[in-house]
Amino acid sequence: VWGCPPCPRDPGAVPTAGALRVTQDPGELQVAAGGTVALQCRVEVAEGGAVLRMEWVRDGGLGALCATRLRFGTALPPSPCPPRAPGARLAWHPPRATLSLPQVQGNDSGRYLCRVTLEI
């Protein structure tokens, strides 16, 4: 908890709790080896032109599989992710991002998280 007595009353000075909302689906998914997985993340922001930093991370301490900066109102066609996730592609069609993982294998199983930060 942090404070700034007295805090400024300007709502633009500090983002409010409702400034960013991220939901992810599907909650759980099973895919046969060799198939393609499409993980989706829905992002809602209070400001239409907001700049976001999006990272898809996987449990197990592997770091970010895919990371990019996005402008909320500007689409991003499917783009390759770094070599850490060979074949993975990230697409952004506001308000939805899709991480596609082709030719998945057993060692690709795990929890994937869409982490979004609102740049201020």
Side-chain angles (χ1 to χ4, degrees), residues 2 11 14-22 44-46 118:
W2 61 274
V14 178
T16 63
L20 176 66
R21 191 172 111 180
V22 180
E44 297 174 39
V45 295
L118 178 62

Side-chain angles (χ1 to χ4, degrees), residues 92-104:
W92 170 244
H93 299 286
R96 189 165 299 277
T98 304
L99 178 67
S100 297
L101 304 169
Q103 300 176 345
V104 295

Side-chain angles (χ1 to χ4, degrees), residues 58-64 84:
R58 182 177 153 204
D59 63 357
L62 300 174
R84 182 176 302 203

Side-chain angles (χ1 to χ4, degrees), residues 40-53:
Q40 295 191 336
C41 177
R42 182 178 176 86
V43 180
E44 297 174 39
V45 295
E47 294 182 30
V51 176
L52 308 170
R53 170 141 177 94

Side-chain angles (χ1 to χ4, degrees), residues 55-100:
E55 296 178 311
W56 281 90
V57 295
R58 182 177 153 204
D59 63 357
L62 300 174
L65 293 173
C66 205
T68 191
R69 287 180 77 222
L70 305 165
R71 185 161 299 278
F72 185 76
T74 305
L76 172 73
S79 304
C81 293
R84 182 176 302 203
R89 299 179 76 75
L90 177 65
W92 170 244
H93 299 286
R96 189 165 299 277
T98 304
L99 178 67
S100 297

